[in-house]
Amino acid sequence: MPHDGHRYELVDGVLTVSPSPRPLHQRAILRLIMALEPHCPEELEILPAPVDVVLAEDTVLIPDIVIARTVDWTDRGLFGPPVLAVEVFSPSTRRFDLELKRARMQAAGCPNYWVVDPDEPALRCWHLREDRYVEVAFARGTESVTLSEPFTVTLSPADLVSLRRR
């Protein structure tokens, strides 16, 4: 793929193209990684996009944040589902992230899928139970939520978009 500032993903053999993210989107990614990193166990690694998550020969996704077992990473990316995939909404990706990507991660067996809405701000988290995602947490604005999967961490959506580091 060309290095033109766009994100290219392959879903069921169909190439999708997304525009470059906004600063608010990137800030939310950075703040979330900063919040997760101190709590992440040594056997897991957190990486920001772009890294390939190959779910099938015809499905390669690029979540905004991927947490996977360190031993599962290859030189090319991750083959199979991560432990956690996080998407930060952009105006052009909201539906894609919430519906299609979430469905593909669920079908692949990704145990945890989170979405961040930086405009609201809000955080919604699902955990895989009996092959279906069940919502385990939702927080809006300055509300905090404590999650136990894939490791224990407390997050506030407002902190994820704050101009100042917490």
Side-chain angles (χ1 to χ4, degrees):
M1 295 298 118
H3 294 286
D4 59 4
H6 290 86
R7 179 178 296 180
Y8 294 86
E9 296 177 278
L10 187 64
V11 179
D12 299 332
V14 177
L15 185 65
T16 64
V17 182
S18 303
S20 296
R22 306 175 293 161
L24 180 63
H25 178 274
Q26 297 303 90
R27 183 178 306 119
I29 291 170
L30 176 63
R31 298 287 184 266
L32 184 52
I33 290 172
M34 290 170 59
L36 294 172
E37 185 63 35
H39 305 281
C40 186
E42 286 185 27
E43 66 271 10
L44 299 177
E45 185 174 16
I46 304 169
L47 291 178
V51 287
D52 289 346
V53 175
V54 181
L55 298 180
E57 188 175 299
D58 64 349
T59 303
V60 180
L61 301 180
I62 304 173
D64 290 316
I65 299 172
V66 180
I67 298 179
R69 286 176 290 282
T70 305
V71 298
D72 292 341
W73 291 104
T74 70
D75 290 348
R76 173 131 189 290
L78 185 66
F79 288 82
V83 172
L84 168 64
V86 181
E87 294 294 349
V88 176
F89 292 153
S90 291
S92 63
T93 66
R94 173 185 296 274
R95 189 167 173 212
F96 184 65
D97 293 342
L98 193 55
E99 295 175 16
L100 187 63
K101 283 180 133 179
R102 184 175 68 149
R104 292 303 181 274
M105 287 294 182
Q106 177 180 276
C110 176
N112 301 283
Y113 188 81
W114 300 354
V115 294
V116 176
D117 182 341
D119 292 313
E120 190 169 347
L123 170 68
R124 189 173 305 269
C125 306
W126 292 272
H127 182 71
L128 196 62
R129 291 196 183 124
E130 298 178 14
D131 300 325
R132 309 257 331 143
Y133 278 139
V134 175
E135 186 174 304
V136 292
F138 176 76
R140 178 181 287 129
T142 58
E143 297 171 348
S144 291
V145 61
T146 299
L147 298 147
S148 59
E149 294 290 334
F151 46 82
T152 303
V153 64
T154 300
L155 301 168
S156 167
D159 290 344
L160 301 180
V161 296
S162 171
L163 290 174
R164 295 199 282 144
R165 290 183 251 172
R166 305 273 176 196

